[in-house]
Amino acid sequence: MSLTTTQISLCFQAYWSMWLENALGGLLFMGVHIGIAAFFLKKFIMKKAINYQPTSGTANRPFSPSEIHTIDDTNQDQMQRKPGSRGSSPRSDNSGSPEYMDDFANATLEQVNNVRVKYNVSPVNLSDQLSTIAQRWANHMAQTGKLEHSPAEMRSFGRQILGENYVSTFQTELTASKMVKKWMKERFSYQFGSNGRRETENFTQLIWRATQDIGVGRARSADGNWWYGVVVFDPPGNIANQYANNVPFIT
């Protein structure tokens, strides 16, 4: 007995419908069991976490949040601090010892005179009395975290107010070379033969012809991140209408 095309089609549809129904039933069965297994696994993990007792010592326990520090997080925190939060007193280490300060002062004197020689002006001398004044203000900036000129009364010397340059560095030791080079960058903005301006007064003070003596000071903030340098000048520079005679032009 042969089957017609219609009968074969009906048989195939019935078989396909039964197979699809069984397949969907199997998937549903598996899904239910997976859900039940996940539920009990979650309860088991939570129970283990509640009953967890850390072992003694630090080697086998998790780190606490206060123990987790990264270099990036630390640097970001330091950079976002307000100036007044850098420390209440200068850092006490060998950077403030008399021998260390003498080395820094002498190195600064050498750097300043090297610049002055290039501009054909007389070298200056290092004064202990002026260095005491400079050091006092460097200590003050390290305590307050504010980079600014000292009050005129602190620089009163004889009948005049001393000239003053200052600078700071962050997380890098302030050397005499770095300090003087930073001030020398201002020369690119100075118009020789004219009166100076605030943006170039460090450079013009460095090479001011009439200056004869300097004092040098340096201090470090209590947290060790900031360095402050101060140089005072006698006689002072940056006097209006005297630039042409005291700030020589070189080619």
Side-chain angles (χ1 to χ4, degrees):
M1 181 180 67
S2 60
L3 298 176
T4 64
T5 303
T6 302
Q7 290 175 329
I8 294 174
S9 176
L10 290 174
C11 289
F12 181 80
Q13 290 178 4
Y15 174 80
W16 173 253
S17 177
M18 182 179 63
W19 181 88
L20 183 61
E21 183 179 350
N22 290 335
L24 292 175
L27 290 175
L28 180 61
F29 179 82
M30 290 178 60
V32 171
H33 281 75
I34 290 174
I36 294 173
F39 173 79
F40 284 104
L41 179 62
K42 182 178 180 181
K43 290 182 68 67
F44 175 78
I45 293 174
M46 292 179 64
K47 183 177 180 181
K48 292 288 290 183
I50 293 173
N51 295 331
Y52 172 77
Q53 295 293 334
T55 58
S56 60
T58 59
N60 297 319
R61 65 170 174 78
F63 288 110
S64 66
S66 62
E67 294 172 315
I68 301 175
H69 295 290
T70 64
I71 295 177
D72 290 340
D73 291 339
T74 302
N75 287 340
Q76 183 178 10
D77 176 69
Q78 292 167 344
M79 290 299 292
Q80 290 177 347
R81 291 182 182 179
K82 294 182 179 180
S85 66
R86 295 176 191 161
S88 58
S89 61
R91 180 169 179 160
S92 177
D93 57 15
N94 64 348
S95 62
S97 65
E99 296 81 5
Y100 203 80
M101 281 307 305
D102 286 344
D103 291 342
F104 178 74
N106 288 324
T108 300
L109 177 67
E110 181 179 0
Q111 291 290 326
V112 171
N113 281 335
N114 286 342
V115 169
R116 292 177 67 86
V117 167
K118 292 180 181 179
Y119 283 84
N120 299 317
V121 295
S122 300
V124 292
N125 302 307
L126 182 63
S127 165
D128 291 340
Q129 189 175 5
L130 296 182
S131 292
T132 299
I133 297 173
Q135 186 61 49
R136 185 184 302 127
W137 188 243
N139 290 340
H140 175 82
M141 289 194 294
Q143 291 173 352
T144 63
K146 295 181 180 180
L147 189 66
E148 58 187 354
H149 275 300
S150 61
E153 56 268 21
M154 289 189 66
R155 285 181 283 138
S156 179
F157 194 73
R159 297 182 178 181
Q160 59 192 359
I161 305 299
L162 298 172
E164 181 182 69
N165 287 6
Y166 55 80
V167 70
S168 68
T169 57
F170 177 69
Q171 291 189 339
T172 303
E173 181 179 359
L174 177 63
T175 64
S177 176
K178 290 178 182 178
M179 182 167 65
V180 174
K181 284 182 179 179
K182 187 169 185 178
W183 293 333
M184 284 298 294
K185 289 180 181 179
E186 297 178 4
R187 71 186 185 277
F188 299 112
S189 302
Y190 179 69
Q191 294 182 352
F192 288 88
S194 64
N195 278 335
R197 52 184 180 175
R198 186 174 183 179
E199 293 79 9
T200 59
E201 63 183 7
N202 292 308
F203 162 66
T204 51
Q205 175 62 90
L206 272 181
I207 64 171
W208 195 262
R209 189 186 301 276
T211 297
Q212 299 176 358
D213 300 295
I214 65 170
V216 180
R218 182 180 68 165
R220 192 177 183 184
S221 61
D223 61 11
N225 287 325
W226 291 87
W227 296 75
Y228 298 87
V230 178
V231 178
V232 294
F233 301 81
D234 178 40
N238 297 323
I239 300 175
N241 302 320
Q242 295 187 21
Y243 283 83
N245 294 328
N246 285 281
V247 183
F249 173 76
I250 62 172
T251 57

